[in-house]
Amino acid sequence: VQLQASGGGLVQTGGSLRLSCAVSGRTFSRYDLGWFRQAPGKGREVVAVITWSSGSTYYSDFVEGRFTISRDFAKNTVYLQMNSLKPEDTAVYYCAASARGTLTNPRSYYTAPNQYDYWGQGTLVTVSS
């Protein structure tokens, strides 16, 4: 499975960006897909997740309703729409795919980086103040 992330860039505080992640190599619909980010000097943290089975979504608390994760089966692509960006959103953003299958608890999600099997190369988002 290969993942190709794109859409990062420089934006002012309050601006918007849409990240895209094209997935190829295996059946797109069988993976939970996540967006993670890593700021300089910090660990990688989950931003949002969308499950393959139901399309349900998870967002980290810091998102505060500003971001939306979505997927397009026809294009084998997952998106992260980011609005009302803040300087603290500055990071390299990574898309990832987990092949671990559906969790028993429908309210559970894969949120740890080590639960993901495939990673894109990352795209840099810089939010200026």
Side-chain angles (χ1 to χ4, degrees):
V1 176
Q2 293 83 43
L3 295 88
Q4 181 73 37
S6 61
L10 174 64
V11 64
Q12 292 184 335
T13 297
S16 298
L17 284 173
R18 188 177 80 157
L19 306 183
S20 300
C21 178
V23 183
S24 61
R26 287 286 180 92
T27 305
F28 172 76
S29 61
R30 293 290 182 177
Y31 297 95
D32 284 9
L33 300 166
W35 284 99
F36 289 76
R37 71 184 188 183
Q38 187 165 14
K42 296 187 177 181
R44 194 167 296 189
E45 62 180 352
V46 66
V47 178
V49 175
I50 186 165
T51 65
W52 75 266
S53 57
S54 64
S56 59
T57 56
Y58 165 92
Y59 297 94
S60 285
D61 290 342
F62 61 77
V63 169
E64 299 175 323
R66 300 178 296 128
F67 299 173
T68 303
I69 188 171
S70 62
R71 59 187 182 179
D72 185 331
F73 285 110
K75 296 182 178 181
N76 281 3
T77 300
V78 60
Y79 302 98
L80 185 68
Q81 176 67 43
M82 304 188 294
N83 301 324
S84 303
L85 284 162
K86 306 174 182 179
E88 50 264 44
D89 295 317
T90 295
V92 177
Y93 284 70
Y94 298 89
C95 57
S98 176
R100 295 190 173 217
T102 304
L103 288 162
T104 302
N105 184 341
R107 296 186 178 185
S108 295
Y109 299 88
Y110 296 119
T111 58
N114 63 7
Q115 294 175 313
Y116 285 77
D117 306 285
Y118 306 99
W119 291 84
Q121 84 287 3
T123 184
L124 176 62
V125 172
T126 304
V127 185
S128 63
S129 58

